[in-house]
Amino acid sequence: MKPDSTLTEELPIYESLIRERGDVVEEARVVAEETQHQMSQALNGVAATPHETGAP
């Protein structure tokens, strides 16, 4: 048994997965908010800048 295995076993599985794989839910939320902002601008006739579209 590794010294930190007890600590890992005490944490909820979600926290353990975040440590191992990153916070995918947070990343999805950020991308969804950015997309919503871009679509709102597009519907209002505002042209996106290259930075907003991810173009180099």
Side-chain angles (χ1 to χ4, degrees), residues 30-47:
V30 168
V31 170
E33 288 176 353
E34 290 172 355
T35 303
Q36 184 178 18
H37 176 72
Q38 290 173 359
M39 292 305 103
S40 176
Q41 286 185 325
L43 291 172
N44 290 326
V46 178

Side-chain angles (χ1 to χ4, degrees), residues 1-53:
M1 203 187 241
K2 294 187 274 180
D4 64 339
S5 65
T6 304
L7 178 62
T8 303
E9 292 171 2
E10 293 174 359
L11 295 174
I13 191 156
Y14 184 72
E15 290 180 28
S16 178
L17 288 171
I18 288 173
R19 273 199 332 271
E20 292 174 15
R21 309 281 177 142
D23 193 347
V24 176
V25 174
E26 174 65 16
E27 291 173 20
R29 184 190 62 77
V30 168
V31 170
E33 288 176 353
E34 290 172 355
T35 303
Q36 184 178 18
H37 176 72
Q38 290 173 359
M39 292 305 103
S40 176
Q41 286 185 325
L43 291 172
N44 290 326
V46 178
T49 64
H51 172 71
E52 291 175 335
T53 61

